Amino acid sequence: MKVKPFLLGFMTGGLAAGISILLTAPNSGKVTRSDIKKSTQRGFNQLQILNKNLMDLKDAAVHASTEGRAQIVAFLSEVKIALAHWEEEVRPKQQQIQQNIIELKETIHKLEEEIPDTRKI
């Protein structure tokens, strides 16, 4: 394939396409540039609004995280206090139950000694 005819055909096709685009353009160059400028400005404004909304969302997430952490710390502190009070309330009952168990063991041991072994008879 020869390069010169190919390039000539390529250039001719490009020129024809350019002319057809210019002739079939819906607006003049001035109007098209104005439309492009307005579209660019609208896009830029939307990006700024999106950026502001994302920053607000980030700030809200940080605030919620900080508040949540503070609430969790307060909750855990209250749970620790409640558990300490519960342990104080339960300790005497626990000691009483342990004493009852010791007494039951002693009673069972005495009964075993007092009752004759029926297997020996």
Side-chain angles (χ1 to χ4, degrees):
M1 175 177 197
K2 295 189 178 188
V3 177
K4 189 174 181 179
F6 176 74
L7 288 177
L8 185 59
F10 186 74
M11 296 295 280
T12 304
L15 184 62
I19 291 172
S20 69
I21 288 173
L22 286 175
L23 292 177
T24 58
N27 297 322
S28 68
K30 189 175 187 178
V31 172
T32 302
R33 283 190 300 276
S34 174
D35 288 345
I36 291 171
K37 188 182 277 187
K38 288 177 186 175
S39 295
T40 303
Q41 188 61 39
R42 273 195 307 265
F44 182 70
N45 289 341
Q46 288 176 347
L47 284 175
Q48 285 179 330
I49 291 169
L50 179 62
N51 186 33
K52 182 188 176 303
N53 289 343
L54 287 174
M55 291 308 231
D56 290 345
L57 179 63
K58 183 195 98 172
D59 292 342
V62 167
H63 179 71
S65 172
T66 304
E67 283 293 317
R69 187 175 295 125
Q71 292 297 326
I72 288 173
V73 168
F75 173 74
L76 290 176
S77 176
E78 290 174 10
V79 167
K80 286 179 183 177
I81 292 169
L83 282 174
H85 288 340
W86 179 78
E87 284 178 346
E88 288 176 17
E89 289 176 12
V90 169
R91 188 168 290 122
K93 293 174 186 173
Q94 183 182 20
Q95 291 171 349
Q96 181 63 36
I97 290 171
Q98 287 174 346
Q99 184 63 35
N100 289 344
I101 290 172
I102 292 170
E103 289 173 6
L104 282 172
K105 284 182 180 179
E106 289 174 358
T107 305
I108 290 172
H109 184 68
K110 286 179 184 177
L111 283 173
E112 287 176 343
E113 289 177 353
E114 290 176 6
I115 297 177
D117 191 4
T118 57
R119 290 180 290 170
K120 292 182 180 178
I121 299 177

